[in-house]
């Protein structure tokens, strides 16, 4: 069966520090991968998505970046965190058809202090 | 611009009643609509998918309707239970994109 792992679960980082969140998927190949951010009381904001290794599309300009070094690995990074980067970050994957749902990781609660 | 609207106010109901949640959208022509459940501090979990040519979909105590004329989907939970308390998100996919776009979600609180 397919599983998605995302870590860490919680993270407290000072302003200006770097960030690296990792997400891996098991039990499927060629998944479409996504990073969403959910601010308190807000919906899921799509940050990045990827349809293949090395292929990254950015939805929102910001100081975050994403990379997909392997088929089932998706990484969210920042060189210097801002206070506004605080939020709940979710990795997800889907198949490449409309009839498959999105599977989400457990999420990472990031607090920038 | 495209917009997905879900009631930001929490829905409070008594156990055993039917909960009805609404998802409205504008400037969008979704071919597929999904509903997810999200518990605090967790990622959303898929519940149901309905296509634009389907009027209604059922799964156990859940029912989803999709009215492309009204640009609205209704999500019903019959015989609600306190364990149904969570935030429910709708997500839309257009015919040309598989990327789900999510609404903000509506919190449901079922009182025993």
């Amino acid at each position: 069966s397919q599983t998605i792992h995302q870590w860490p679960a919680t993270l407290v980082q000072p302003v200006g520090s770097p960030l690296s969140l990792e997400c891996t998927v098991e039990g499927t190949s060629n998944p479409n991968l996504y990073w969403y951010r959910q601010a308190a009381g807000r919906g899921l904001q799509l940050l990045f998505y990827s349809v293949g290794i090395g292929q990254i599309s950015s939805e929102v300009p910001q100081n975050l970046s994403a990379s997909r070094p392997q088929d089932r690995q998706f990484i969210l990074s920042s060189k210097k965190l801002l206070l506004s980067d605080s939020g709940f970050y979710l990795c997800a994957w889907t198949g490449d058809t409309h009839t498959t749902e999105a599977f989400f990781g457990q999420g990472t609660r990031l607090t920038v202090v | 611009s495209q917009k997905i609207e879900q009631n930001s106010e929490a829905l409070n109901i008594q156990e055993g009643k039917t909960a009805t949640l609404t998802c409205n959208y504008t400037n969008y022509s979704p071919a597929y609509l999904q509903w997810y459940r999200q518990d605090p501090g967790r990622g959303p979990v898929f519940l149901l998918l309905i296509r634009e040519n389907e009027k209604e979909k059922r799964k156990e105590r859940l029912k989803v309707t999709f009215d492309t004329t009204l640009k609205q989907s209704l999500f019903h939970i019959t015989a609600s239970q306190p364990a149904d308390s969570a935030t429910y998100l709708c997500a839309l996919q257009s015919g040309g994109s598989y990327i789900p776009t999510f609404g903000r979600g509506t919190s449901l609180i079922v009182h025993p």
Side-chain angles (χ1 to χ4, degrees), chain A residues 21 38 43 45-46 53 65 68 77 84 88 94 98 100 110:
Chain A
L21 302 181
Q38 188 175 36
Q45 179 188 33
L46 180 64
I53 296 173
S65 62
R68 185 171 178 173
S77 304
S84 58
F88 190 48
T94 68
H98 295 87
T100 59
L110 172 66

Side-chain angles (χ1 to χ4, degrees), chain B residues 14-89:
Chain B
Q14 287 298 124
E15 182 176 10
K17 301 294 185 181
T18 296
T20 299
L21 306 175
T22 305
C23 176
N24 295 299
Y25 57 91
T26 55
N27 297 323
Y28 215 120
S29 297
Y32 308 87
L33 190 147
Q34 301 176 0
W35 283 89
Y36 290 77
R37 169 183 172 141
Q38 186 175 24
D39 292 290
R42 308 291 294 274
V45 175
F46 171 79
L47 296 174
L48 281 169
L49 176 148
I50 187 167
R51 296 173 173 79
E52 63 177 339
N53 61 352
E54 297 177 315
K55 296 298 183 184
E56 182 179 297
K57 200 75 158 298
R58 292 176 183 261
K59 179 182 176 182
E60 298 174 351
R61 294 186 294 114
L62 309 180
K63 185 178 83 172
V64 172
T65 62
F66 193 9
D67 190 325
T68 55
T69 301
L70 292 178
K71 296 186 183 296
Q72 180 181 80
S73 174
L74 298 179
F75 177 77
H76 306 272
I77 305 176
T78 59
S80 60
Q81 305 165 1
D84 295 326
S85 299
T87 296
Y88 291 86
L89 306 167

